[in-house]
Amino acid sequence: MRLSRAVLTAVVVSLAAVAMPASATAAPAAPERGVTDVVPAPVSAKADPKSDFRLTPFTVIAADRGAGQVADYLRGLLRPATGYPLPVVPHAVGLPAISLRLGHDARIGTEGYELKVARDGVTLTANTADGLFEGVQSLRQLLPSAIEAKRVQHRTWTVAGGTILDYPRFADRGAMLDVARHFFKPDQVKLYIDQIAQYKVNTLHLHLADDQGWRIEIKSWPKLATVGGLTAVDGDPGGYYTQAQYKDIVAYAASRHITVIPEIDMPGHTNAAQSTYAELNCDGKAVPVRTDTEVGYSSLCISSPITYKFVEDVVRELAAITPGPFLHIGGDEAHSTPPADYLAFEQKVQPIVAKYGKRVTGWHEIAKSNPPASAVPQYWDFGGDNASVAAAAARGSKILMSPANYAYLDMKYDPSTPLGQDWAALIEVRNGYDWDPASLVTGVGENQVAGVEAPLWTETIRTSDDIEYMAFPRLPGIAEIGWSPRATHNWDAYRTRLAKQSPRWTAQGINFYRSPQVDWR
Ligand code: TNX
């Protein structure tokens, strides 16, 4: 019997189907991405593979009034790799659209959003532009990682289907960059802003002055920057931001829905100021310049009126160029300031911050000075009992959590990490993720926690590559702890989601640490 060609083909095809390896039919390969893969994990996410949305050259971005800035930002994200025009329009009028809508939804607060991806369009709804911006960060993760490429990629662009309802656990999710130990130029700070914004980080704390360098122009004390800014750790080149450059960084951060918190550390960590201006020392003699990495040796002169003139001038000028509500006044490791002097200093300085319309934040040592309930102590110790921090929380202060043994991005991953320090801990990706801000400090529970911040001290950090290597992949973990519900916390699930982020980092040019704890793709 001769089989016709058609019959033969049919037999071969059905045989091939039977012969398919069991793994391919029983467990289809995990998709590259979906609504349940987003980092930080959303409050709720329901995937629907039948409702994928395709971006095409005809797709438009339809934006409500008040959503224009986020729409332009989204267009800027999607255009380089797609090459599509993606015009921003008020109404889609029949064209396939990504719609950005402002509404009133009591479930999602000021930073939450609802994202619906269907075959005929994507709808992102929030109560504020901040919420839309955070929703856009989820939306971009639903596209192939090639969307992060800087040049046109010829391929299809499918947004993974489904719905997300999402809002943050804590109001503050921050990153700190120490630009004092090593200086980073405005463009480097902006690059870091873009990198952290994608994980819904909403504050950037800039550590602007320390023993080794002063980094912000103060017009009434001009040599702080022009002389005190010349140095950096180990004799490396210094630098400073003019007030115009600082304002530009602040505006750039605002365009990424990030608030800048400037820090002038005092009464310790002040050698750069005291080597520049002799009158800031009790004996009227300038101290020598220092670029080593000792801490705790410097102190402003607590008994001198000039000290408070200096502080007020700095606070006034900084407050005038800082739209955010907080000024950070440091206060850590003031080992050369006697406790009574520390108290006297804090009680004089904190009202100066209030006088210029700002709220005080500072390292948790400020809690010893009975700060007002509006002040936010930033906890950096290892957890457990801390009477003054607990007392501040009991008086109504919220506490920002930056435990050095979990959240410090300058800690080495393991003994072989070429950068960083190890005084607090070695922090592998899992350690950096496995902690809970609401059960860290006795007496500071869920409602007393302002949020989390991941500080990056830069004694050993010199370049943007160095910043990226220490922040990635740990910063997304801290961001997730700050954003995602406690109930989503699960290392095994997280490490799988984290692995799927790495092609995005590669496309963005981020120099990340390939932790052996994660099965990178
Ligand atoms: C401690 S903890 C510091 C910084 C250092 C850092 C290095 C704290 C508030 N201060 O002065 O840069 O350790 O890890």
Side-chain angles (χ1 to χ4, degrees):
M1 185 181 82
R2 282 199 59 174
L3 294 175
S4 75
R5 210 186 169 90
V7 170
L8 245 183
T9 310
V11 169
V12 168
V13 167
S14 56
L15 273 178
V18 171
M20 281 254 282
S23 63
T25 42
E32 191 209 4
R33 69 205 183 272
V35 294
T36 57
D37 291 316
V38 169
V39 176
V43 171
S44 76
K46 229 183 250 139
D48 182 358
K50 292 188 303 299
S51 50
D52 287 351
F53 174 74
R54 267 284 273 283
L55 290 187
T56 73
F58 306 104
T59 307
V60 300
I61 299 175
D64 275 359
R65 208 131 63 87
Q69 185 271 332
V70 178
D72 290 342
Y73 169 85
L74 173 61
R75 183 173 189 245
L77 280 184
L78 303 182
R79 282 197 63 179
T82 63
Y84 300 159
L86 300 166
V88 174
V89 298
H91 304 287
V93 286
L95 289 167
I98 300 174
S99 301
L100 306 188
R101 300 285 169 233
L102 286 167
H104 302 279
D105 183 341
R107 296 171 301 173
I108 57 179
T110 56
E111 283 186 295
Y113 63 91
E114 186 174 40
L115 179 61
K116 294 186 175 169
V117 181
R119 287 178 74 109
D120 59 348
V122 173
T123 308
L124 176 60
T125 314
N127 297 327
T128 66
D130 289 343
L132 289 176
F133 185 85
E134 304 306 10
V136 159
Q137 302 311 323
S138 295
L139 171 59
R140 82 196 268 195
Q141 291 185 25
L142 304 182
L143 280 152
S145 46
I147 198 69
E148 303 294 342
K150 292 167 186 89
R151 280 172 225 281
V152 174
Q153 312 286 304
H154 295 284
R155 53 161 300 149
T156 55
W157 299 103
T158 307
V159 182
T163 59
I164 297 178
L165 183 80
D166 201 12
Y167 49 85
R169 177 179 174 191
F170 297 115
D172 292 357
R173 291 99 42 208
M176 185 276 268
L177 186 61
D178 170 7
V179 296
R181 269 53 176 272
H182 278 101
F183 179 65
F184 297 90
K185 296 197 167 79
D187 280 349
Q188 295 178 287
V189 178
K190 291 179 183 177
L191 178 64
Y192 196 47
I193 287 170
D194 276 324
Q195 291 167 349
I196 64 180
Q198 64 185 319
Y199 295 104
K200 302 184 172 72
V201 168
N202 66 356
T203 61
L204 176 67
H205 165 184
L206 290 175
H207 184 76
L208 288 169
D210 212 304
D211 292 318
Q212 301 90 343
W214 184 283
R215 307 296 178 213
I216 180 73
E217 175 190 20
I218 300 295
K219 296 186 183 193
S220 51
W221 297 71
K223 288 193 293 173
L224 287 171
T226 58
V227 177
L230 290 173
T231 45
V233 163
D234 289 347
D236 286 336
Y240 66 90
Y241 310 121
T242 64
Q243 292 198 0
Q245 286 173 319
Y246 172 85
K247 285 198 250 182
D248 178 56
I249 291 170
V250 167
Y252 190 84
S255 77
R256 271 66 180 155
H257 297 255
I258 288 178
T259 304
V260 169
I261 301 178
E263 177 186 355
I264 300 296
D265 205 344
M266 50 193 167
H269 291 274
T270 48
N271 201 75
Q274 292 181 281
S275 60
T276 301
Y277 283 105
E279 57 267 49
L280 294 178
N281 299 277
C282 285
D283 62 5
K285 292 199 190 109
V287 292
V289 170
R290 284 187 60 168
T291 60
D292 63 289
T293 59
E294 270 305 303
V295 295
Y297 59 84
S298 53
S299 177
L300 290 173
C301 183
I302 306 304
S303 59
S304 161
I306 298 163
T307 295
Y308 303 96
K309 162 129 177 55
F310 162 78
V311 170
E312 181 153 357
D313 287 341
V314 170
V315 165
R316 185 185 63 251
E317 291 195 33
L318 207 47
I321 54 177
T322 301
F326 285 104
L327 291 193
H328 198 301
I329 54 173
D332 59 315
E333 301 171 323
H335 305 316
S336 305
T337 316
D341 282 3
Y342 184 86
L343 202 65
F345 180 81
E346 289 297 325
Q347 288 174 352
K348 276 196 183 151
V349 166
Q350 292 177 22
I352 297 174
V353 174
K355 177 175 171 188
Y356 291 98
K358 297 298 176 186
R359 286 172 65 185
V360 165
T361 183
W363 299 105
H364 71 247
E365 288 95 323
I366 67 161
K368 293 185 209 145
S369 66
N370 200 23
S374 61
V376 175
Q378 179 173 7
Y379 181 82
W380 60 264
D381 210 343
F382 297 178
D385 295 335
N386 184 310
S388 60
V389 169
R395 287 193 308 271
S397 272
K398 297 247 187 193
I399 312 298
L400 184 65
M401 293 298 181
S402 301
N405 54 336
Y406 296 117
Y408 269 29
L409 299 178
D410 65 316
M411 291 300 125
K412 291 176 182 288
Y413 293 96
D414 70 21
S416 72
T417 308
L419 304 169
Q421 308 204 41
D422 60 6
W423 67 264
L426 295 170
I427 308 179
E428 247 297 351
V429 179
R430 181 170 188 164
N431 309 88
Y433 171 77
D434 263 341
W435 61 283
D436 178 33
S439 43
L440 188 71
V441 180
T442 312
V444 184
E446 186 83 16
N447 295 323
Q448 286 81 44
V449 172
V452 297
E453 183 188 286
L456 180 51
W457 302 101
T458 59
E459 286 92 336
T460 66
I461 308 299
R462 293 175 167 81
T463 65
S464 286
D465 272 2
D466 292 352
I467 292 175
E468 292 164 9
Y469 189 78
M470 300 308 268
F472 288 87
R474 289 181 295 196
L475 176 108
I478 307 298
E480 171 146 326
I481 289 169
W483 177 280
S484 304
R486 180 82 183 93
T488 63
H489 195 93
N490 179 302
W491 165 251
D492 287 322
Y494 176 66
R495 69 191 279 277
T496 306
R497 285 186 288 113
L498 188 63
K500 294 182 179 190
Q501 295 295 309
S502 68
R504 297 174 189 281
W505 303 337
T506 302
Q508 292 170 5
I510 291 180
N511 174 41
F512 68 98
Y513 164 63
R514 294 185 158 265
S515 164
Q517 298 184 325
V518 178
D519 298 324
W520 304 107
R521 330 202 113 202

